[in-house]
Amino acid sequence: MSTTTATTSNSTYTNPILPGWHSDPSCVFVPEENNTFFCTTSSFLSTPAIPIYASQDLTTWKLASHVVTRRSQVPEISNATSQTQQDGLWASTIRYRKGKFYLLTSYVSMYPDFKFTGLLFTSSDIFDDAAWSEPLRFQIGDIDPDIFWDDDVDGQAYITYAGISQVPIDLETGETGTPYKLWAGTGAGLPEGPHIYKKDGWYYLCIGEGGTELGHRQVIARSRKVSGPYEGYEANPVLTNAGTGEYFQTVGHADLFQDKEGHWWGVALATRSGPNWRVYPMGRETVLFPVTWEDGEWPVLGAVRGTMTGPLPVPECETPPGDGPYVDADDDIDFEPGSGIPRTFLFWRFPNEESFAVSPAERPYSLRLLPLKSNITGSGAAEGSDADPAITLVTRIQSHTYFTYSVDISFAPTKEGEEAGITLFLTQYQHIDLGIVLLPSSSSAPSSHEPKALKPHLRFQTTLLDDLNTPATQNVTVPDTVAKALPSSRGSEIKARLKIQAIDDTHYTLSATLLDSSPGSKFEFTHEVEAVLVSGGTGRFTGALLGTYATSNGGDGGTPAYISRWRYNGLGQKIERIDTRGEDA
């Protein structure tokens, strides 16, 4: 392992640095951790929750840990309070102080009223999931908590939150003082995502405004006291792509930090949609920009583009620390005996762990899925119910514009409605599925005393239980459901390769090929679908997930499905409105 403290000249890099659904970023530089940067992003209802990524050069990132891996930490994620697809763990702040990492966030419930609870997690080993504490819960007046210690005065810790207000907090008890208003922003509305920095005797308050859509922007104010009054910068906004033709839109919700050479940097969320803001299945992603901040002056934030330059730091190590996967890594997973659920995998809410088994004795080198009655469509338990709303769904983030994802499925359904397949998943209200399902045969003609014969079918269908929320999508044609009977196989079990491909940045194809059909009964299926169907709508805060599922569709079937040869191959990123294929966003 070699080390260096050399200062680099400007280097070229590309955005996003955390591709795919990685919204509301917050980052910290920690010299005590071998000069490593750590960033976190929102997770909403996905688990394990609140990912932490590590890097030493700001462009190569590996998963360090997840903050929430135990149901006891945030039981709200899995019970009946999670009634909307935007509930869950929203924007976080990560900070480091005296050997300890602090992660602040809020659990948000949007039904029946908008409510939020402050949560503070701590860890002394950021590379260990289990080291993250149970949360210290505290009262908060709004979302997006930030923490700041006034070490130059009395060491008091302050929580600042959307609004923009502040309270002192006791980090032992969670007790907070009387809240007071800091700043109303510049008038663009929805002031949120605050962060406080102290520099050259000034307290700087940097916030997002204008909502996390096309009007998103970053503004800044400063004061001689942490409690204000704060005076806004006359040249605000300091960061935005609003009103431009840039491919990266919705830029805002920024956080600023320094590297080992004293250079300033910023991260923000952004959407690769162009000004039409129509097709953006990967949702809000994390982008990096250089910052110039002279003594006593206001910071100058670099404009967010696909191709960037800046004084990138020289890494201390040849590879980022930790044993986690790279953020944009491919999947080549065969579910070997002795292995567990890969760290790239995500569930929607906490899973029923009995529904998933890696390399079971009866079928090594596979992932066994046991269906629950719960379909992947829905909102969980009914209001007031104690039922676990777990669904048999396991996914990964779409982290490339162009990709191929496939799995092999072995499935022998025996009861009507049993289903297993793959999904392009945004929320439980918005997904596109291709599955093997046992349905009545349309070719049989039973008498009045006999039920129709059941036969395995391949079924393509979309679930869109809400409109897509943007005028640009009102003329989109939602594809019809297609169900085709499968030919006889060599045995009772259907063996098929199911695949999702991004053929360009606006369309997917879903396809199926039987792997063990009888001679002369070759079966193939391909269906194209628009990516706008998983852009915005009920998932305007999230992004596309790719995965596999099993369900009895409300019945009492319990036939397992076996998933093998899980493959995800990233094929490239589109970072400009006109890419190498000549396609305009």
Side-chain angles (χ1 to χ4, degrees):
M1 180 183 300
S2 62
T3 62
T4 179
T5 58
T7 303
T8 65
S9 59
N10 278 3
S11 302
T12 299
Y13 65 94
T14 59
N15 277 316
I17 58 165
L18 299 181
W21 172 31
H22 290 98
S23 56
D24 311 313
S26 175
C27 300
V28 64
F29 173 65
V30 184
E32 294 89 337
E33 289 281 349
N34 202 22
N35 290 321
T36 300
F37 302 90
F38 298 94
C39 288
T40 187
T41 58
S42 292
S43 55
F44 287 79
L45 287 176
S46 65
T47 64
I50 313 181
I52 307 290
Y53 296 97
S55 176
Q56 291 200 329
D57 63 4
L58 291 174
T59 62
T60 306
W61 295 87
K62 288 171 65 174
L63 180 67
S65 63
H66 282 97
V67 176
V68 177
T69 56
R70 306 183 297 276
R71 194 181 296 254
S72 62
Q73 291 171 294
V74 192
E76 296 95 324
I77 290 178
S78 60
N79 66 28
T81 63
S82 293
Q83 288 296 307
T84 84
Q85 300 301 297
Q86 282 81 43
D87 282 10
L89 296 169
W90 287 25
S92 305
T93 295
I94 187 171
R95 295 293 184 258
Y96 178 86
R97 185 173 186 263
K98 297 181 178 179
K100 184 181 292 187
F101 287 90
Y102 294 77
L103 191 291
L104 286 87
T105 190
S106 57
Y107 178 83
V108 178
S109 176
M110 299 183 72
Y111 178 87
D113 301 307
F114 189 60
K115 298 179 181 178
F116 24 79
T117 301
L119 304 172
L120 171 60
F121 303 88
T122 60
S123 176
S124 297
D125 184 357
I126 199 168
F127 294 101
D128 182 3
D129 290 348
W132 285 101
S133 69
E134 297 291 311
L136 177 71
R137 292 175 175 254
F138 59 91
Q139 294 298 314
I140 188 174
D142 213 320
I143 59 173
D144 301 356
D146 172 73
I147 189 167
F148 174 81
W149 290 267
D150 203 356
D151 287 329
D152 294 336
V153 179
D154 55 8
Q156 175 64 51
Y158 295 89
I159 302 293
T160 309
Y161 51 85
I164 298 285
S165 295
Q166 187 178 80
V167 290
I169 185 172
D170 184 326
L171 295 180
E172 296 296 324
T173 66
E175 293 183 6
T176 55
T178 303
Y180 45 87
K181 193 80 171 180
L182 289 187
W183 189 40
T186 68
L190 296 175
E192 57 189 1
H195 294 298
I196 289 182
Y197 317 97
K198 190 172 186 181
K199 185 177 185 297
D200 310 324
W202 289 98
Y203 297 86
Y204 288 86
L205 172 62
C206 198
I207 72 171
E209 275 190 329
T212 186
E213 299 179 358
L214 288 178
H216 209 192
R217 60 191 212 163
Q218 199 73 16
V219 297
I220 196 167
R222 68 182 183 183
S223 171
R224 289 295 186 181
K225 297 199 310 181
V226 68
S227 58
Y230 281 83
E231 177 184 359
Y233 181 32
E234 62 181 12
N236 277 321
V238 290
L239 180 70
T240 188
N241 274 2
T244 73
E246 294 297 330
Y247 186 45
F248 286 82
Q249 291 288 331
T250 75
V251 177
H253 200 107
D255 196 7
L256 310 180
F257 53 93
Q258 286 181 283
D259 63 21
K260 62 185 177 183
E261 301 294 342
H263 298 129
W264 282 88
W265 295 90
V267 289
L269 67 81
T271 308
R272 283 187 277 176
S273 64
N276 290 334
W277 199 51
R278 182 177 184 271
V279 181
Y280 50 97
M282 289 186 283
R284 302 175 301 164
E285 306 174 276
T286 293
V287 294
L288 174 74
F289 52 89
V291 177
T292 302
W293 203 342
E294 303 294 341
D295 291 349
E297 301 296 328
W298 296 93
V300 177
L301 281 56
V304 170
R305 302 290 186 265
T307 302
M308 305 282 293
T309 58
L312 292 174
V314 175
E316 299 286 328
C317 307
E318 292 182 1
T319 61
D323 59 1
Y326 290 93
V327 69
D328 57 352
D330 289 349
D331 286 342
D332 190 2
I333 299 169
D334 291 315
F335 305 105
E336 297 177 355
S339 63
I341 295 291
R343 295 180 68 184
T344 54
F345 283 14
L346 296 174
F347 303 96
W348 199 248
R349 300 187 177 90
F350 284 108
N352 180 338
E353 295 182 359
E354 295 180 356
S355 297
F356 303 88
V358 176
S359 198
E362 76 276 14
R363 192 71 62 93
Y365 295 94
S366 73
L367 173 67
R368 184 180 66 201
L369 306 181
L370 292 181
L372 295 182
K373 288 187 176 181
S374 298
N375 193 285
I376 60 174
T377 300
S379 59
E383 183 180 1
S385 169
D386 292 329
D388 187 350
I391 53 179
T392 305
L393 168 71
V394 60
T395 67
R396 61 150 292 145
I397 289 173
Q398 177 189 335
S399 54
H400 296 79
T401 308
Y402 315 108
F403 70 89
T404 297
Y405 164 73
S406 66
V407 299
D408 288 356
I409 293 185
S410 298
F411 187 39
T414 60
K415 295 190 177 182
E416 183 175 352
E418 289 186 326
E419 182 178 1
I422 57 174
T423 182
L424 181 59
F425 185 92
L426 194 64
T427 71
Q428 285 179 268
Y429 286 161
Q430 203 165 337
H431 49 92
I432 302 167
D433 312 324
L434 185 64
I436 299 166
V437 56
L438 193 64
L439 298 173
S441 173
S442 59
S443 62
S444 62
S447 70
S448 59
H449 303 291
E450 297 178 356
K452 278 191 172 184
L454 297 175
K455 188 173 181 60
H457 287 66
L458 184 76
R459 183 165 66 187
F460 164 89
Q461 61 182 353
T462 62
T463 297
L464 296 167
L465 301 185
D466 196 358
D467 63 39
L468 296 181
N469 271 349
T470 59
T473 62
Q474 290 178 358
N475 295 324
V476 172
T477 300
V478 177
D480 293 331
T481 296
V482 178
K484 292 191 173 184
L486 293 170
S488 299
S489 62
R490 298 178 186 275
S492 61
E493 191 170 58
I494 302 296
K495 297 181 180 180
R497 179 163 299 163
L498 305 184
K499 182 183 297 185
I500 302 173
Q501 294 176 281
I503 57 175
D504 54 37
D505 62 311
T506 59
H507 293 81
Y508 300 99
T509 58
L510 283 73
S511 61
T513 303
L514 292 185
L515 301 177
D516 193 25
S517 57
S518 299
S521 60
K522 183 178 180 181
F523 178 94
E524 292 185 344
F525 174 90
T526 300
H527 202 296
E528 185 176 298
V529 64
E530 291 187 81
V532 70
L533 296 178
V534 283
S535 301
T538 61
R540 60 189 182 276
F541 296 149
T542 63
L545 303 173
L546 306 162
T548 185
Y549 66 93
T551 175
S552 66
N553 283 306
D556 58 359
T559 303
Y562 297 94
I563 307 302
S564 60
R565 197 183 172 278
W566 173 297
R567 300 290 188 266
Y568 174 88
N569 184 19
L571 301 176
Q573 303 284 8
K574 178 175 176 178
I575 62 171
E576 305 290 350
R577 289 189 65 188
I578 304 294
D579 69 4
T580 56
R581 307 181 188 200
E583 295 160 345
D584 193 328

